Amino acid sequence: MRRSRVVALLAAGGFAVAGCSAPSPAEVTFYADGHTITTTPVLSCDYSRQLAQPCSAKGDTQTLKVRPGKPVQISVPGEVADAPWQIVYEYVTPQGEYKQSDPIPFTSLDRYAYTVTPPTPADRISAVDVQKYTAVLNSSTGESGLLPSDVWGLRLEA
């Protein structure tokens, strides 16, 4: 009887510890030219630690194939949609020039999806970054601002 109590207590303790694990990182889904990929952040920043370099690389940028003129659809979870976030993308012209878009910001805190469309049907999207922002207060100066806290990246090949 005593042995079964010890086993039961150890099992209950294991469940309690398992319930306290860190939450998994938010995933962003990209859909392009008939293919879907779900990604975790490639860069994460924690400004609460007051370190000289609060950001760290978290993984590799995922890749999808896309033909010229095809859009890229982006779906973000509530964790991202409930914060200010933005999209920046790069595209290739028919002449082989790489150009970057202006940032496309979302601050209404209720936008869960966006479709990136190439400027012309002949252009091909080559990269998309989703950047989630967080408010940061500089305790020495009292100034506040928005800084990127997580970045999800996608590279697109022809």
Side-chain angles (χ1 to χ4, degrees):
M1 177 113 168
R2 181 180 181 115
R3 185 179 183 131
S4 62
R5 282 187 189 166
V6 171
V7 171
L9 286 173
L10 288 174
F15 288 125
V17 170
C20 294
S21 64
S24 59
E27 296 181 330
V28 170
T29 302
F30 297 93
Y31 175 82
D33 208 3
H35 303 282
T36 302
I37 194 163
T38 301
T39 65
T40 56
V42 295
L43 182 72
S44 289
C45 305
D46 182 358
Y47 302 102
S48 65
R49 295 185 195 173
Q50 301 298 322
L51 298 174
Q53 295 186 1
C55 301
S56 60
K58 292 295 183 185
D60 296 327
T61 301
Q62 300 292 318
T63 304
L64 282 178
K65 291 189 180 256
V66 66
R67 294 174 287 168
K70 296 295 181 182
V72 175
Q73 297 172 332
I74 302 158
S75 177
V76 301
E79 178 182 331
V80 176
D82 291 344
W85 63 287
Q86 73 177 16
I87 294 171
V88 177
Y89 68 94
E90 180 183 84
Y91 62 96
V92 184
T93 67
Q95 296 77 28
E97 294 177 83
Y98 285 83
K99 296 188 175 188
Q100 186 171 326
S101 72
D102 289 331
I104 304 165
F106 304 101
T107 57
S108 64
L109 308 182
D110 64 354
R111 184 75 183 249
Y112 290 84
Y114 185 78
T115 300
V116 175
T117 304
T120 74
D123 295 329
R124 181 182 60 80
I125 297 172
S126 59
V128 179
D129 283 344
V130 172
Q131 304 165 349
K132 176 184 165 189
Y133 281 77
T134 188
V136 177
L137 174 66
N138 183 331
S139 58
S140 340
T141 65
E143 294 178 2
S144 64
L146 292 174
L147 294 174
S149 58
D150 292 294
V151 177
W152 295 259
L154 176 69
R155 301 301 162 244
L156 297 119
E157 300 174 344

